Amino acid sequence: MSLEVYINGKYYPKADAKVSVYDHGLLYGDGVFEGMRAYGGKVFRHRAHIDRLYESAAAIQLNIPMSKDALQQAVNDTLHRNQLVDAYIRLVVTRGAGSLGLDPAKTSDPQVIIITDHIELYPKEKYENGLEIITASTIRNHPAALSPRIKSLNYLNNILARLEGKLAGCSEALMLNHRGEVAECTGDNIFILRTGRLLTPPIDAGILEGITRNAVIELAHRMSIEVAEIPFTRHDVFVAQECFLTGSAAEVIPVVKLDGRPIGTGGVGELTKKLMIAFHQLVRNDPQAT
Ligand code: PXG
């Protein structure tokens, strides 16, 4: 059976799930999205993702035409309908179709789309041996231009950085912010272990407040590891003992080289290994999964 996609309360086979070419999501990137994961039939931090989607929408004055509870239910219904237990979920809300022109007032009926599909993961080898990443010359969007806190359909900033990574043979790339500090990777947050503390850039470094990032901070606290959300630079990554990335798709993944320079021993760090195990346990036993 082909997977079905939810659009505004109806289900369509994957091949027939379409929006108008006049949709401002397509014409201008005017819309918001979430990427989440289901484990054992439950969506990890479901409500946190829904909350972030509504916040992204509020930030661009886009009214999602259904309640949070109804949307959460629709996600679960779509998963059940497609008989997916471990899945990737892409929630998209576009501004909707309208006449040409930037003005959102030219649109009507936002499109609420729920795609549930099989998960595409990094190869197992990357979790065992770690990723090698480069620093992209493309910086993260200036918060006063397009706030990185908004998970909008404008991902070109990150795509350009990702292309730089790919040209260098890397599947992720580090992005700095407008101040030259470490911000995040193109689809993942970053952590380093430096002088016994876990460091991760603060939200006002111009990053997305990752839900995996927040879960890992909680796990580290439970393991009595000090975590500081403070600005740091590439220098701190070069001299760090360990480095890893977090994201819904990647989960927790080690980084062993930045710009060709080995981090720490150049192998996967011991704390990183512990956090990877703890995260795998959490996603299958989290009281916040619904
Ligand atoms: N930073 C950016 C810029 C992101 O887009 C994260 C950090 C991690 O956030 P979460 O909440 O997932 O821990 C993201 C999330 C994909 C995909 O299909 C991308 C994300 C999430 C899920 C899937 O590439 N990005």
Side-chain angles (χ1 to χ4, degrees), residues 122-123 126 131-133 162 165-166 169-173 186 188:
Y122 279 115
K126 300 287 184 198
L131 287 177
E132 298 184 13
I133 63 172
R162 179 72 70 103
K166 293 204 83 163
C170 299
S171 39
E172 250 301 8
T186 67
D188 300 293

Side-chain angles (χ1 to χ4, degrees), residues 26 39 54 60 71 74 78 94 103 121 134 164 180 189 200 218 239 252 284:
L26 174 70
Y39 297 90
Y54 279 73
I60 66 163
L71 184 53
T78 310
T94 74
D103 187 357
L121 301 173
I134 53 123
E164 287 186 56
N189 292 110
T200 196
E218 283 169 36
V239 301
V252 179
R284 305 226 166 243

Side-chain angles (χ1 to χ4, degrees), residues 81-93:
R81 203 177 166 99
N82 287 312
Q83 298 174 358
L84 288 167
V85 177
D86 293 306
Y88 176 74
I89 302 144
R90 168 60 57 97
L91 264 170
V92 185
V93 185

Side-chain angles (χ1 to χ4, degrees), residues 35-36 49 52 88 90 140 151 155 158 162 184-189 208-213 246-249:
M36 33 194 212
H49 280 283
R52 191 172 66 184
Y88 176 74
R90 168 60 57 97
R140 198 69 179 86
K151 212 164 158 53
Y155 250 54
N158 305 50
R162 179 72 70 103
E184 59 184 335
C185 288
T186 67
D188 300 293
N189 292 110
L208 184 77
E209 184 174 356
I211 284 160
T212 319
R213 170 188 182 276
T246 63
S248 297

Side-chain angles (χ1 to χ4, degrees), residues 28-33 56 59-60 139-158 178 184 205-208:
Y28 305 112
D30 189 354
V32 293
F33 78 101
S56 293
I60 66 163
I139 65 162
R140 198 69 179 86
N141 279 331
H142 192 296
L146 173 57
S147 170
R149 299 196 64 178
I150 305 171
K151 212 164 158 53
S152 83
L153 295 183
N154 272 274
Y155 250 54
L156 264 184
N157 174 221
N158 305 50
H178 57 287
E184 59 184 335
I207 62 165
L208 184 77

Side-chain angles (χ1 to χ4, degrees), residues 67-78:
S67 70
K68 288 184 180 181
D69 285 343
L71 184 53
Q72 200 165 327
Q73 189 58 51
V75 169
N76 285 334
D77 292 348
T78 310

Side-chain angles (χ1 to χ4, degrees), residues 98-239:
S99 52
L100 298 175
L102 288 181
D103 187 357
K106 290 175 186 288
T107 62
S108 55
D109 55 278
Q111 301 292 297
V112 179
I113 301 164
I114 306 168
I115 305 169
T116 57
D117 213 322
H118 304 284
I119 318 154
E120 269 187 46
L121 301 173
Y122 279 115
K124 200 163 166 260
E125 182 269 327
K126 300 287 184 198
Y127 292 90
E128 285 164 3
N129 301 326
L131 287 177
E132 298 184 13
I133 63 172
I134 53 123
T135 310
S137 66
T138 307
I139 65 162
R140 198 69 179 86
N141 279 331
H142 192 296
L146 173 57
S147 170
R149 299 196 64 178
I150 305 171
K151 212 164 158 53
S152 83
L153 295 183
N154 272 274
Y155 250 54
L156 264 184
N157 174 221
N158 305 50
I159 290 166
L160 290 175
R162 179 72 70 103
L163 285 174
E164 287 186 56
K166 293 204 83 163
L167 281 171
C170 299
S171 39
E172 250 301 8
L174 179 63
M175 302 182 78
L176 307 179
N177 66 17
H178 57 287
R179 294 190 289 256
E181 300 155 357
V182 168
E184 59 184 335
C185 288
T186 67
D188 300 293
N189 292 110
I190 185 165
F191 286 77
I192 57 172
L193 178 67
R194 169 112 162 84
T195 54
R197 283 195 308 176
L198 212 43
L199 306 185
T200 196
I203 304 308
D204 66 10
I207 62 165
L208 184 77
E209 184 174 356
I211 284 160
T212 319
R213 170 188 182 276
N214 290 348
V216 165
I217 292 173
E218 283 169 36
L219 287 174
H221 284 154
R222 264 189 242 164
M223 291 157 77
S224 301
I225 295 153
E226 194 187 334
V227 186
E229 294 179 54
I230 53 164
F232 59 88
T233 65
R234 224 157 54 111
H235 166 82
D236 299 286
V237 185
F238 288 141
V239 301

